[in-house]
Amino acid sequence: MLSSGVLISFEGGDGVGKSTQLGLLADRLVGLGHEVVRTREPGGTPLGVELRDAVLHGDHVSARTEALLYATDRAHHVDTVIRPALERGAVVLTDRYLDSSVAYQGNGRDLGADEVERLSLWATDGLLPDLTVLLDLDPRVGLSRLTGAPDRLESAGLDFHVRTRQAFLDRAAADPGRWLVLDAARDADEVHADVAARVDALLARRAGAEPAVGAATAPADRPAAP
Ligand code: TYD
């Protein structure tokens, strides 16, 4: 078990298969003995479920209102679910996080990526994922996979979803250390194999960086006693 947890977010357009990939990774990590917390935004808490309904189905929700509702959901989610789980040493898998706000509200709604990112960083007191998996797919394909009546975001139009996809890709390209970009048009098992390989490497690095139980933690600049 890790002494401080790991936060992994899954991002991408609507209908790209995030929940399938999240489920496959969760099962694998539980099998390896990790405590796994599987959660989502918006709606990962009881208050979040109410906010999710308001933001996805409310009437006359302006772009700024929308950004604030997602940020409110995120602040409460981090405070009541994510940080406590990380403090216990869990692996937290979240279906969407801050990068969705930057892509959908910052770029899709044209509110400005930097401003929306600042809002979310304020809401979360600066908590960023250790790894963000971007499932990239042409929005024409993703949207065509959806069933049921479209919500406010799903009905925002193809241009909106094309802008959102590009924003995710640009963000990922700017920070490859945090992001893993995968072609979500492939078979789910192939995508999962790539996710598992990157997560294994991350967890191995984390485990290697932790002092062995009972080991003295002398500061690096102090010579070891003779
Ligand atoms: P999601 O739960 O992934 O959709 P579904 O369960 O219907 O597949 O997300 C709901 C919608 O909210 C989705 O269209 C993306 C959007 N969204 C934002 O616009 N900004 C955000 O910050 C988040 C978290 C989601």
Side-chain angles (χ1 to χ4, degrees):
M1 190 55 67
L2 302 159
S3 67
S4 72
V6 172
L7 176 59
I8 300 173
S9 58
F10 283 75
E11 298 282 9
D14 294 86
V16 298
K18 288 184 285 46
S19 23
T20 303
Q21 289 303 324
L22 209 132
L24 289 170
L25 181 61
D27 289 348
R28 184 165 188 284
L29 293 175
V30 167
L32 292 172
H34 292 282
E35 181 196 343
V36 174
V37 173
R38 186 181 167 168
T39 187
R40 76 188 316 202
E41 289 187 2
T45 62
L47 174 60
V49 171
E50 294 179 36
L51 294 166
R52 180 182 173 91
D53 186 50
V55 75
L56 295 184
H57 305 290
D59 285 333
H60 307 295
V61 178
S62 73
R64 280 172 192 271
T65 308
E66 185 179 292
L68 288 164
L69 285 169
Y70 282 115
T72 306
D73 169 71
R74 184 161 303 125
H76 188 63
H77 188 212
V78 165
D79 270 352
T80 62
V81 175
I82 298 182
R83 276 199 205 275
L86 293 176
E87 278 158 20
R88 290 197 305 275
V91 180
V92 179
L93 306 180
T94 182
D95 187 337
R96 299 193 181 281
Y97 189 64
L98 161 153
D99 299 291
S100 276
S101 282
V102 179
Y104 279 80
Q105 281 66 55
N107 294 82
R109 297 289 191 216
D110 263 336
L111 286 175
D114 290 348
E115 254 191 329
V116 171
E117 181 170 25
R118 270 201 300 277
L119 174 68
S120 255
L121 285 171
W122 183 82
T124 62
D125 201 11
L127 182 68
L128 279 173
D130 298 287
L131 171 67
T132 297
V133 178
L134 174 58
L135 300 177
D136 178 55
L137 188 66
D138 184 330
R140 289 170 200 82
V141 179
L143 293 170
S144 73
R145 286 181 181 173
L146 301 176
T147 52
D151 61 39
R152 287 182 54 259
L153 277 292
E154 287 162 358
S155 11
L158 187 59
D159 282 0
F160 172 93
H161 289 281
V162 168
R163 277 201 302 284
T164 302
R165 178 197 194 186
Q166 193 55 50
F168 277 128
L169 287 170
D170 291 346
R171 257 176 103 62
D175 189 4
R178 172 161 74 91
W179 291 76
L180 171 66
V181 182
L182 296 174
D183 175 1
R186 292 178 304 154
D187 194 70
D189 289 339
E190 278 178 46
V191 175
H192 171 61
D194 289 350
V195 174
R198 178 71 175 260
V199 171
D200 282 355
L202 170 66
L203 295 178
R205 243 189 354 262
R206 272 305 179 86
E210 288 184 2
V213 177
T217 48
D221 59 352
R222 194 194 310 151

